[in-house]
Amino acid sequence: MAFVTANWNPLGEAFYRKIELYEMGWNLKDGLRECLVAAAPYGGPISLLKGHNRRSPSDRPQLEIYSSSGLPLASFPWKSGVVKQLGWTVSDDLLCVQEDGTVLVYDLLGGFKRHFSMGNEVSQSQVLETKIFHSPYGTGVAILTGALRFTLATNIDDIKLRRLPEVPGLQGAPSCWAVLTQDRQSKVLVANGSHLFILDNTACTPVTPPGLSPQASSIVHMCVSFSYKYLALLTDSGHVWMGTSNLKEKLSEVDTKIKTPPKQMAWYGTLLLFPSAVVMWDGLLIVVGECKETIQYHLDDDSILVPELDGVRIISGTHHELLQEVPGACEEIFKIASMAPGALLLEAHKEYEKESQKADEYLREIKEQSLLSEAVRQCVEAAGHEHEPETQKTLLRAASFGKCFLSNFPPEQFVSMCRDLRVLNAVRDYTVGIPLTHTQFKQMTVQVLIDRLVYRKLYPLAIEICRYLKTPEYQGVSRVLKHWACYKVQQKEESDEVIAKAVSVKLADAAGISYSEIATKAYESGRTELAIKLLEFEPRSGEQVPLLLKMKKSPLALSKAIESGDTDLVYTVVMYLKNELNRGDFFMMLRNQPVALSLYKQFCKHQEQDTLKDLFNQDDDHEELGNLYVKASYKDQRLEARIALLQSAVDEYYKAKNEFSAKTTEDEMRLLRFQRLTGLWLHNNLQCTLSIQKSFLPQTFDQKCTLLFMIKTKNHNKYCCLSHRDMEGAAEAAIERRNESEISTVLSRCSATTDHLLMERLNRAKATAVKK
Amino acid sequence: MASHLFCGRVNLNILREAARKDLREFLDKCSGSKAIVWDEYLTGPFGLIAQYSLLKEHEVEKMFTLKAGRIPSAAVKNIVFFVRPRLELMDIIAENVASEDKLQPRDVHILFVPRRSLLCEQRLKEKGVLNSFTNIDEYILDLIPYDGDLLSMESESSFRECYLENDQTSLYHAAKGLMNLQALYGTIPQIFGKGECARHVANMMLRMKREFAGSQTQILPVFDTLLLLDRNVDLLTPLATQLTYEGLIDEIFGITNGYVKLPPEKFAQKKQGEGGKELPTEPKKLQLNSAEELYAEIRDKNFNAVGAALSKKAKIISAAFEERHNAKTVGEIKQFVSQLPHMQAARSSLANHTSIAELIKDITTDSWLYFILCNMVRNAHLNMPDVFSQTALLSCVSASEDFFDSLTVEQEFMTGVDTDKVSTYIEDCIAQKDPLIKILRLVCMQSVCNNGLKQKVLDYYKKEILQTYGYKHILTLKNLEKVGLLKPQSTMRNNYPTIRKTLKLWMEDANEQNPNDISYVYSGYAPLSVRLTQVLARPGWRSIEEVLKMLPGPHFEERQQVPTGLHKKRQPGENRTTLVFFLGGVTYAEIAALRFLSNMEDSGTEYIIAATKLINGTSWIKSLMDSPEENLP
């Protein structure tokens, strides 16, 4: 405790501290020398490729993956091409960029996932240098080819390759370059000697950093900050220029007085008050800040720098350290002779534990200034920034002690800090090896932390954390269990039954589990039977369908789709089956599923009339066939064809034993046939007929009635009968025309009971007509 | 803007706001200026959710109707298709997209309403345009808030699809809509239902609830009960002519998406001094919902009682305007002036409804008055409504008795008079070639009230119809038979009289002015669907087991677990809330009857109504018709 400040170094107004995170668990013979190294941010895994330039098949390079504490996660000989660069994606996947532009993707336990190419142009001119970067769109890869051109993919999950414009005057490899994200676009900043260019999709623009010291003739190194906000340039004269990455503003320029090119340069976190950069040479580390001063550290071993949100991690062959600016609250409390309220409270608590009355004096001092709540707040915050559990405890105890003297002090901050710290201490543990700071944890969110634990297959810990933090089951425990199950189903040595049982037992009570996802995993690893077993647990029948189709279990897929009630899904399966099966089998399958059949009929009605006919034929549905012919008859303009279609309809209606429809249809055919016979007459006289109709027929007669009437009166056509109500009209017309035979016809159709008035009139008219 | 949604027992504006939020989110996904290409059918329903101003706020600059060929030119960054998932629309979209200018590419998006469809996406893929879309999304719009106590899916052909084509898509959407509703208003603990479709929807709901276990929201249930009713349980009600004010407006002019279009003549502004102003030619478009105080008051009254209500209102308003003479002090005048806008709105609302009432009177001709007169004589209510003058009443007796005759026949059928023989009235109507739908409504009604017609009678009607209106209607007749509206009598006994008596479907002494029973909405006939609802609330369906068995489809009860701690503690005297969902459509008269039940003093239950669509006999029969057009050379 007394030595909290022992590792503090002042720089300008701030202090910096270097904390040892782990003594590395690995056993590296040559340290990090001659290794390709990549370490993921947020305390992620470390990958090493030893002897990456070796090409002989007998002596292959070895790819190794370790946790941040140096525990081995995977190790295997590299059998592919020459690797130029290693890097980690945001979801803890390892990217290995090969000389030929192929990028291989592995998970963090060394399992191969997939590969993709950076394009023909890259594979032809080979990769010269490459950088892996993160942007809001995901993880990207930038490549400088042997032809001195840049090719960029902003998101490896959705690869859209972009070739950037040429850099003017570039003869050999540029002295240094970096990728920035600006205006929602990834750009490349290139230094060629003392010239600086920004390359975007369309142009190569020369830029000049404001106030860059004139002694410099070449920019030898550059780096951008975590958030792409700041840029640091190191010149051959040993000056570090720091400014904003849009090159509009200069923050400071510091002379390191070292002119050899450095091994690595990195930005400190940009969350801090004083942005600063770290430059590393062999055996030497220099921190440069806004002021002109520097801090120098000596390094015993080959090391790499891993920039973080709020500091830089230094990984060497033996140790893992965190270099960070001392957070405000810690500084207030632990700074020598600090009179800050937090410091006094800590002191008061110490005295209290010693049972000394001084505790009261300190407390009074804070309370007199009404700063007690501030003091508690400081202690809680400082606890969050301390790595040693003992220090955390001391600070939290002090805070808890101070809280006793406050009424209405909101407890949330204290409670959530205790929870967070318990989680952080658990994942920082040597066996887990995720050295997150509290700031990083808050930025990364619990969700992502759970994901990371799941990637490492630390399921029990992940579940414990979910339960402890009371994460909603849906996003927490259930999700972890699903991942566990997905892993479980890939275990080849266990039988289907054992796995299915294990999965169902463990997942039984978990809500919102997607069994179909687990089943998909099982299917992908070649275990169809297991997949089917697992699918049975899936409550959402809709979800089961795509996988069942993939597994060629189409009858099951169809019944599941129907079960879900989602007609679109049923259609999807039906269409799939239609393409998969021969027509006979397809119809057979539909026949057993009436819901699917009627949906398919609907589809055919609009899209494939002919198929519809086949379907009705298969079912011997003569009624529907008849209807189909009737509908078709209206689509045809030619009278001949219409009559033929109606005849087919009549046949079908008879087969369906629907006398009524058959008879009515026959009547319609006769009418049409008559029109054909007298077609000419009808055409020529239609207008004329209509006008006659208007003049001498009652208004209620429409065109067809008129025709019927004409036919009747002229030809004594027996089968075209007039309905009861038309009789009056017919009589009216016949009387008007004084045609005896017409009158007789009408008369013959009258019934004595209902129409006797009409008959009287007709008889009178007939008499006058005869007289004439 | 949506004040009509607040007034009910359940704040349906939450639903509307949720829908608006989704719409905004989608529009913002397509950044930059945009043009919307509308599936014409959707504009009406969308109007109930958002006005143009909302779209404009989100950079919608142009709107087009979806049609084949090219999209009209517009200087916008995005083209957004708002469409129902239908294959024929996909073909048009594919054509639109294919003829886009390749040199000036625009971002194209597609928004499926109410749900994405794999089938449609497959079609777009086949047409080679699927990759042209930047966003393919769905806009879940199942239940649209229509009024303070009314939700509609605005799914026009849902009855036809369910009962004629055996396509249950709209039921799936209904179930989804109910799940969505439960996400906003809490789990509904009790589900009752009657009919095949109701069973299907309830099954899907229970299944979906299982599927979404674990992601439940902790909301205190707003609805106590859900009642799902198949339209085919009660085929009779929509066939009858609705006699409420709103019902008649719908019967005569048709209300679509909450708007009615009226002939303009009656609405010509009569201003003094301007003399003979030209008559407007555009139809007058009025929005009808409970935000309008007067309309809320009279919409559900029997039309017979509307006249009196209007004249009473007129007196109140003119009295209110007279108040100005009494306003002496500055304070009083100020108060008067502050009320002016409200009074003026009330006055114009009164003018509108007086005109509508006149229009209805004109169209139902004087026979309507005749009908009223008869009713009045029957009920011995001789205090005339003011709107109808004595002279008109006298002239009416001799005038066309069409409307009255039609009502009389309807009422005869409903009371079971001579339903088993050919009706001379229907015969006359066919001979006079009255509108076919009118005939079909009557014939179907006769068939329903007689539990099927004698084969001879049925064939006679069918023959008459085909000979008079044309052979092409043969398919329509077949459709009506398929859905059970027309049927030959089976050997089974006609059970309609039993149903009528048990459920008291016919009330001899319906009081139209001061109703004491739901039968006032049809001047005597109490809608079966609403009776079922009423009996369910009290004394419960167990009392009518026998009748329920006579009606088609199963009846059932389901319970849904409500998380502990969310059980409602009812205050003494607090009413239960029941959501009644009509699968296959609901009429305005049924809504009026349910509102009447809600407002009854000792009912103990308030009703919120949901339906696949608001229907009336005409629109309903129309949706079942299949009459190919003559295509002669």
Side-chain angles (χ1 to χ4, degrees):
Chain A
M1 265 306 292
F3 310 113
V4 170
T5 54
N7 57 354
W8 289 20
N9 284 300
L11 181 73
E13 287 172 37
F15 286 93
Y16 283 78
R17 66 180 180 189
K18 204 163 78 166
I19 307 168
E20 180 170 305
L21 296 172
Y22 301 109
E23 203 170 301
M24 294 307 272
W26 60 31
N27 194 5
L28 301 180
K29 257 188 257 156
D30 307 314
L32 298 175
R33 199 162 301 160
E34 284 176 27
C35 273
L36 269 184
V37 187
Y42 290 101
I46 307 165
S47 61
L48 302 175
L49 188 62
K50 285 182 199 160
H52 61 283
N53 283 326
R54 279 180 248 159
R55 282 163 202 259
S56 104
S58 56
D59 185 19
R60 292 190 189 280
Q62 186 77 9
L63 184 74
E64 290 171 352
I65 302 174
Y66 295 95
S67 75
S68 274
S69 55
L71 290 183
L73 296 174
S75 168
F76 55 93
W78 185 254
K79 291 178 185 165
S80 282
V82 174
V83 175
K84 294 297 278 190
Q85 180 80 34
L86 295 174
W88 291 94
T89 71
V90 282
S91 48
D92 274 355
D93 283 335
L94 177 63
L95 300 181
C96 308
V97 186
Q98 292 190 155
E99 208 170 37
D100 59 357
T102 310
V103 182
L104 290 87
V105 188
Y106 290 84
D107 68 27
L108 101 176
L109 296 178
F112 176 73
K113 287 181 99 170
R114 66 192 175 99
H115 70 91
F116 60 88
S117 158
M118 290 297 287
N120 280 338
E121 198 254 333
V122 174
S123 63
Q124 270 157 30
S125 46
Q126 298 278 305
V127 176
L128 204 62
E129 285 174 31
T130 172
K131 285 193 163 54
I132 289 158
F133 60 95
H134 304 285
S135 75
Y137 309 105
T139 303
V141 177
I143 283 176
L144 173 65
T145 66
L148 303 179
R149 294 289 293 267
F150 288 95
T151 296
L152 209 81
T154 315
N155 180 4
I156 57 152
D157 292 321
D158 176 23
I159 294 181
K160 285 185 183 129
L161 290 176
R162 282 168 27 209
R163 192 167 180 233
L164 301 185
E166 215 167 339
V167 182
L170 195 61
Q171 299 296 330
S175 42
C176 57
W177 58 285
V179 185
L180 330 157
T181 297
Q182 272 175 358
D183 312 327
R184 299 166 68 187
Q185 207 189 64
S186 295
K187 301 174 180 179
V188 170
L189 185 66
V190 195
N192 185 21
S194 62
H195 300 290
L196 209 53
F197 302 94
I198 282 193
L199 292 172
D200 61 17
N201 283 353
T202 48
C204 172
T205 324
V207 282
T208 353
L212 185 65
S213 85
Q215 296 106 302
S217 63
S218 171
I219 296 166
V220 293
H221 216 100
M222 64 169 80
C223 70
V224 277
S225 68
F226 217 67
S227 62
Y228 297 104
K229 198 175 164 198
Y230 299 110
L231 171 73
L233 302 171
L234 180 68
T235 63
D236 56 352
S237 58
H239 287 79
V240 178
W241 178 95
M242 290 188 281
T244 54
S245 63
N246 57 14
L247 294 161
K248 293 233 168 76
E249 206 185 317
K250 172 179 165 178
L251 292 175
S252 71
E253 197 170 26
V254 180
D255 188 359
T256 60
K257 307 196 173 64
I258 303 173
K259 298 199 174 161
T260 48
K263 274 184 70 186
Q264 204 184 351
M265 183 159 83
W267 268 97
Y268 248 44
T270 41
L271 286 181
L272 306 176
L273 226 47
F274 309 104
S276 49
V278 190
V279 194
M280 182 176 74
W281 285 267
D282 271 330
L284 180 68
L285 191 74
I286 291 185
V287 183
V288 290
E290 230 176 345
C291 60
K292 301 276 170 194
E293 298 161 36
T294 60
I295 310 175
Q296 298 201 353
Y297 292 102
H298 284 278
L299 302 172
D300 301 331
D301 203 354
D302 271 336
S303 301
I304 62 153
L305 302 178
V306 187
E308 290 280 4
L309 189 68
D310 55 349
V312 170
R313 284 187 290 131
I314 305 157
I315 301 169
S316 74
T318 53
H319 287 85
H320 191 158
E321 291 166 311
L322 172 70
L323 178 62
Q324 69 169 173
E325 185 187 312
V326 177
C330 301
E331 188 184 324
E332 292 272 355
I333 290 176
F334 294 117
K335 200 161 74 176
I336 291 158
S338 168
M339 293 296 279
L344 293 177
L345 180 60
L346 187 63
E347 213 48 47
H349 181 247
K350 259 185 214 160
E351 296 299 335
Y352 171 75
E353 298 234 295
K354 282 189 230 158
E355 297 176 10
S356 150
Q357 84 286 2
K358 274 189 194 160
D360 184 50
E361 281 169 31
Y362 282 121
L363 263 180
R364 266 175 211 285
E365 199 175 332
I366 311 171
K367 281 183 102 175
E368 269 161 23
Q369 303 170 65
S370 344
L371 287 173
L372 189 52
S373 57
E374 171 66 11
V376 174
R377 201 194 49 75
Q378 271 184 0
C379 285
V380 173
E381 201 188 320
H385 292 300
E386 288 301 325
H387 271 247
E388 278 305 316
E390 273 315 309
T391 322
Q392 294 166 1
K393 277 184 201 164
T394 315
L395 286 163
L396 287 174
R397 276 195 199 109
S400 164
F401 173 68
K403 246 156 46 80
C404 299
F405 302 94
L406 284 167
S407 53
N408 296 330
F409 184 79
E412 291 83 7
Q413 190 206 11
F414 182 80
V415 174
S416 69
M417 184 59 83
C418 290
R419 278 208 192 115
D420 289 354
L421 279 178
R422 185 163 280 195
V423 171
L424 281 177
N425 288 336
V427 299
R428 280 172 193 163
D429 187 88
Y430 183 76
T431 53
V432 179
I434 304 180
L436 282 178
T437 66
H438 188 254
T439 319
Q440 289 164 17
F441 173 62
K442 282 289 156 200
Q443 178 78 16
M444 154 187 224
T445 73
V446 185
Q447 292 295 322
V448 178
L449 178 62
I450 299 299
D451 280 340
R452 306 247 150 143
L453 292 174
V454 164
Y455 297 144
R456 287 166 173 75
K457 309 218 186 307
L458 297 169
Y459 304 112
L461 179 61
I463 288 177
E464 279 309 312
I465 290 177
C466 289
R467 292 212 174 114
Y468 181 65
L469 293 179
K470 298 196 171 64
T471 320
E473 204 172 353
Y474 203 53
Q475 305 159 347
V477 176
S478 293
R479 202 163 51 104
V480 179
L481 282 173
K482 186 200 78 187
H483 281 285
W484 166 79
C486 286
Y487 173 62
K488 182 86 185 163
V489 297
Q490 295 175 42
Q491 291 175 352
K492 298 256 186 290
E493 59 277 11
E494 290 188 58
S495 75
D496 290 348
E497 282 73 28
V498 173
I499 293 180
K501 184 132 194 288
V503 169
S504 71
V505 165
K506 212 155 235 161
L507 272 58
D509 298 332
I513 293 271
S514 165
Y515 282 92
S516 55
E517 244 175 274
I518 304 167
T520 309
K521 266 273 155 11
Y523 174 68
E524 280 167 5
S525 36
R527 309 186 70 159
T528 314
E529 285 311 308
L530 178 58
I532 293 170
K533 277 203 175 70
L534 288 169
L535 266 187
E536 277 162 21
F537 296 116
E538 173 66 65
R540 288 169 295 177
S541 29
E543 296 287 312
Q544 309 174 5
V545 173
L547 181 62
L548 285 171
L549 281 185
K550 225 192 275 174
M551 299 193 299
K552 308 250 180 254
K553 301 281 170 197
S554 28
L556 197 54
L558 187 58
S559 50
K560 289 289 177 190
I562 291 168
E563 210 174 88
S564 77
D566 183 350
T567 44
D568 183 55
L569 205 57
V570 180
Y571 270 128
T572 310
V573 180
V574 169
M575 291 303 135
Y576 175 87
L577 293 174
K578 189 182 156 205
N579 295 332
E580 284 292 296
L581 305 174
N582 66 44
R583 215 171 162 86
D585 294 348
F586 175 55
F587 281 5
M588 214 30 147
M589 191 176 282
L590 286 183
R591 219 172 161 175
N592 299 327
Q593 296 284 6
V595 175
L597 181 60
S598 41
L599 283 176
Y600 184 60
K601 279 180 187 161
Q602 276 316 106
F603 171 82
C604 292
K605 208 183 224 169
H606 296 118
Q607 307 281 334
E608 296 174 13
Q609 300 261 349
D610 291 341
T611 318
L612 197 57
K613 206 190 286 178
D614 295 346
L615 278 169
F616 290 143
N617 257 322
Q618 183 196 257
D619 292 350
D620 291 329
D621 192 340
H622 299 294
E623 178 78 24
E624 283 297 339
L625 277 169
N627 296 346
L628 206 61
Y629 286 123
V630 170
K631 244 182 243 175
S633 83
Y634 279 92
K635 293 221 175 88
D636 216 306
Q637 292 212 335
R638 294 160 305 143
L639 222 48
E640 280 298 330
R642 286 190 63 175
I643 291 170
L645 283 164
L646 285 178
Q647 183 57 53
S648 315
V650 169
D651 297 345
E652 297 296 342
Y653 285 143
Y654 274 123
K655 277 185 212 158
K657 300 200 169 53
N658 187 338
E659 291 276 321
F660 179 85
S661 297
K663 286 256 154 48
T664 353
T665 310
E666 278 172 341
D667 285 348
E668 174 75 2
M669 283 167 62
R670 285 194 195 101
L671 181 63
L672 287 174
R673 223 173 260 144
F674 185 79
Q675 281 187 25
R676 186 188 55 178
L677 282 174
T678 56
L680 204 65
W681 177 79
L682 279 171
H683 276 295
N684 292 345
N685 297 294
L686 200 57
Q687 283 302 319
C688 160
T689 317
L690 282 171
S691 62
I692 294 168
Q693 177 216 358
K694 276 198 185 119
S695 62
F696 79 95
L697 286 181
Q699 290 295 311
T700 51
F701 271 47
D702 77 340
Q703 179 193 338
K704 196 174 270 175
C705 280
T706 317
L707 292 175
L708 263 170
F709 176 69
M710 295 299 239
I711 294 155
K712 177 151 192 67
T713 48
K714 278 204 143 223
N715 301 299
H716 303 268
N717 196 331
K718 276 183 195 158
Y719 29 75
C720 294
C721 59
L722 289 164
S723 79
H724 169 69
R725 294 287 139 182
D726 299 339
M727 202 60 86
E728 267 179 48
E732 209 76 63
I735 294 166
E736 193 93 24
R737 284 157 61 107
R738 298 193 183 108
N739 183 324
E740 194 204 347
S741 63
E742 286 179 14
I743 294 171
S744 308
T745 321
V746 179
L747 209 49
S748 68
R749 308 261 332 150
C750 288
S751 76
T753 46
T754 54
D755 300 315
H756 66 274
L757 278 175
L758 198 65
M759 283 172 74
E760 267 177 46
R761 275 187 66 199
L762 283 165
N763 280 324
R764 274 202 304 276
K766 194 177 168 187
T768 27
V770 171
K771 267 180 215 160
K772 275 189 176 172
Chain B
M1 203 162 70
S3 57
H4 58 286
L5 298 179
F6 289 103
C7 53
R9 155 119 184 191
V10 175
N11 181 359
L12 295 182
N13 202 44
I14 298 175
L15 191 63
R16 184 174 183 265
E17 278 309 319
R20 284 164 72 90
K21 186 169 144 266
D22 290 348
L23 182 62
R24 283 195 215 105
E25 275 171 12
F26 173 78
L27 288 173
D28 289 342
K29 243 194 225 174
C30 326
S31 61
S33 59
K34 45 198 145 282
I36 296 182
V37 183
W38 286 98
D39 170 355
E40 212 168 6
Y41 182 82
L42 289 176
T43 50
F46 262 82
L48 295 165
I49 297 297
Q51 261 72 35
Y52 184 48
S53 55
L54 180 139
L55 300 177
K56 221 167 170 181
E57 278 164 30
H58 295 267
E59 297 179 85
V60 174
E61 290 175 1
K62 283 265 166 47
M63 312 243 261
F64 304 115
T65 306
L66 182 66
K67 47 177 178 260
R70 284 184 71 125
I71 301 168
S73 65
V76 288
K77 252 193 84 196
N78 299 281
I79 297 285
V80 191
F81 291 96
F82 277 39
V83 288
R84 285 166 298 158
R86 305 224 163 178
L87 287 178
E88 60 272 19
L89 299 178
M90 295 307 111
D91 295 347
I92 302 179
I93 290 178
E95 197 180 330
N96 280 180
V97 172
S99 50
E100 273 281 283
D101 194 345
K102 299 279 181 303
L103 297 174
Q104 289 170 308
R106 299 187 280 197
D107 285 351
V108 194
H109 316 266
I110 191 162
L111 186 64
F112 284 113
V113 186
R115 211 146 268 118
R116 274 178 88 140
S117 147
L118 292 164
L119 188 67
C120 288
E121 284 169 47
Q122 183 63 28
R123 173 57 65 99
L124 291 173
K125 198 172 171 187
E126 282 162 20
K127 296 257 170 190
V129 292
L130 189 64
N131 290 328
S132 319
F133 295 99
T134 317
N135 275 312
I136 297 183
D137 228 315
E138 64 184 4
Y139 183 63
I140 298 171
L141 188 67
D142 293 313
L143 285 167
I144 306 165
Y146 209 94
D147 212 324
D149 56 356
L150 182 57
L151 300 162
S152 167
M153 289 170 62
E154 293 301 279
S155 162
E156 195 143 52
S157 47
S158 116
F159 183 83
R160 183 190 170 102
E161 286 165 8
C162 292
Y163 298 97
L164 191 61
E165 292 162 348
N166 202 11
D167 170 357
Q168 293 171 329
T169 308
S170 62
L171 299 182
Y172 178 69
H173 292 170
K176 282 271 184 187
L178 283 165
M179 294 313 286
N180 199 14
L181 202 69
Q182 291 186 84
L184 291 171
Y185 297 96
T187 305
I188 307 177
Q190 257 183 326
I191 303 175
F192 288 94
K194 172 73 189 161
E196 293 291 347
C197 293
R199 182 71 263 185
H200 188 59
V201 170
N203 285 349
M204 279 192 284
M205 281 175 71
L206 297 173
R207 163 181 298 282
M208 286 171 191
K209 189 174 154 73
R210 277 205 302 282
E211 292 179 2
F212 293 108
S215 59
Q216 272 163 358
T217 38
Q218 300 284 314
I219 298 172
L220 199 69
V222 173
F223 298 103
D224 300 288
T225 309
L226 166 67
L227 171 60
L228 295 161
L229 279 179
D230 271 33
R231 185 72 271 174
N232 86 336
V233 169
D234 173 16
L235 292 170
L236 175 57
T237 303
L239 293 170
T241 306
Q242 310 173 62
L243 295 177
T244 59
Y245 180 53
E246 192 170 36
L248 271 171
I249 296 178
D250 188 38
E251 293 275 349
I252 296 168
F253 305 105
I255 302 175
T256 28
N257 304 126
Y259 286 87
V260 65
K261 281 184 184 164
L262 297 160
E265 298 80 26
K266 293 268 179 193
F267 297 92
Q269 294 214 323
K270 288 172 211 126
K271 275 190 189 150
Q272 286 177 340
E274 284 179 44
K277 235 182 125 187
E278 272 178 59
L279 285 176
T281 48
E282 283 282 296
K284 168 97 174 171
K285 200 174 171 191
L286 276 180
Q287 187 172 19
L288 298 175
N289 62 39
S290 49
E292 192 183 343
E293 196 184 309
L294 174 62
Y295 187 64
E297 213 172 287
I298 59 172
R299 66 196 303 183
D300 300 322
K301 285 193 186 306
N302 187 294
F303 188 64
N304 190 2
V306 167
L310 286 176
S311 85
K312 196 171 121 201
K313 192 76 183 178
K315 278 181 198 142
I316 293 170
I317 290 175
S318 61
F321 274 100
E322 285 308 308
E323 280 288 308
R324 70 178 184 277
H325 299 302
N326 302 334
K328 294 285 186 316
T329 67
V330 179
E332 281 166 1
I333 295 173
K334 195 177 164 198
Q335 197 186 348
F336 176 79
V337 170
S338 72
Q339 284 169 352
L340 261 181
H342 177 73
M343 285 160 60
Q344 274 159 348
R347 189 161 64 176
S348 85
S349 154
L350 178 68
N352 279 340
H353 289 291
T354 312
S355 305
I356 297 174
E358 272 178 48
L359 277 171
I360 293 176
K361 191 195 71 181
D362 287 355
I363 287 175
T364 59
T365 339
D366 310 303
S367 66
W368 171 252
L369 285 174
Y370 179 78
F371 178 71
I372 291 172
L373 185 74
C374 293
N375 266 341
M376 280 173 178
V377 171
R378 200 180 67 199
N379 301 335
H381 288 295
L382 275 167
N383 48 337
M384 303 279 168
D386 297 5
V387 169
F388 312 107
S389 66
Q390 288 282 337
T391 44
L393 203 57
L394 288 173
S395 71
C396 73
V397 182
S398 58
S400 147
E401 290 159 13
D402 205 35
F403 191 75
F404 171 65
D405 285 347
S406 175
L407 283 181
T408 312
V409 171
E410 281 185 14
Q411 300 201 339
E412 278 172 11
F413 288 159
M414 289 190 286
T415 46
V417 177
D418 284 344
T419 45
D420 55 348
K421 13 176 138 74
V422 172
S423 150
T424 45
Y425 177 71
I426 297 180
E427 258 187 315
D428 279 338
C429 291
I430 296 176
Q432 285 165 27
K433 223 186 168 196
D434 280 357
L436 174 61
I437 292 185
K438 176 184 166 185
I439 310 292
L440 294 176
R441 273 177 83 161
L442 285 171
V443 174
C444 290
M445 189 180 223
Q446 188 180 351
S447 167
V448 171
C449 290
N450 199 47
N451 196 18
L453 297 168
K454 281 187 193 142
Q455 190 68 50
K456 219 175 66 191
V457 177
L458 182 60
D459 284 354
Y460 178 76
Y461 279 135
K462 278 161 66 181
K463 200 162 186 172
E464 287 286 287
I465 290 170
L466 292 183
Q467 280 183 355
T468 306
Y469 297 91
Y471 169 76
K472 63 177 176 178
H473 297 294
I474 188 166
L475 298 176
T476 300
L477 291 176
K478 282 172 188 247
N479 287 350
L480 295 175
E481 286 185 65
K482 229 184 260 175
V483 300
L485 277 166
L486 277 183
K487 59 180 179 189
Q489 210 164 36
S490 59
T491 45
M492 261 184 2
R493 208 165 60 87
N494 176 12
N495 50 25
Y496 173 73
T498 320
I499 298 173
R500 188 184 68 225
K501 275 172 212 141
T502 319
L503 293 181
K504 297 197 187 74
L505 296 188
W506 184 260
M507 301 296 275
E508 220 26 87
D509 48 354
N511 185 343
E512 289 143 356
Q513 299 289 340
N514 296 301
N516 50 16
D517 180 73
I518 54 166
S519 56
Y520 85 93
V521 297
Y522 288 99
S523 293
Y525 166 69
L528 195 159
S529 56
V530 183
R531 269 288 191 258
L532 287 180
T533 314
Q534 193 180 6
V535 173
L536 177 68
R538 203 160 27 182
W541 275 0
R542 230 161 261 149
S543 62
I544 51 163
E545 282 285 335
E546 286 303 309
V547 167
L548 284 174
K549 271 182 202 147
M550 290 176 191
L551 296 168
H555 58 281
F556 59 88
E557 179 185 351
E558 296 284 353
R559 281 179 191 274
Q560 297 199 93
Q561 278 286 309
V562 175
T564 39
L566 290 182
H567 288 287
K568 215 175 187 176
K569 286 174 198 76
R570 204 179 311 282
Q571 305 296 322
E574 194 190 330
N575 284 344
R576 300 171 60 83
T577 307
T578 297
L579 176 67
V580 190
F581 202 130
F582 288 84
L583 300 163
V586 67
T587 66
Y588 284 98
E590 286 173 303
I591 295 169
L594 284 169
R595 284 186 185 141
F596 172 79
L597 288 183
S598 296
N599 294 332
M600 253 170 40
E601 245 172 60
D602 55 347
S603 75
T605 308
E606 285 189 47
Y607 295 98
I608 305 292
I609 303 131
T612 48
K613 174 80 185 162
L614 294 156
I615 56 166
N616 59 44
T618 307
S619 65
W620 189 42
I621 296 286
K622 210 174 198 167
S623 78
L624 293 169
M625 288 177 73
D626 244 336
S627 304
E629 278 307 302
E630 292 279 357
N631 198 9
L632 283 171

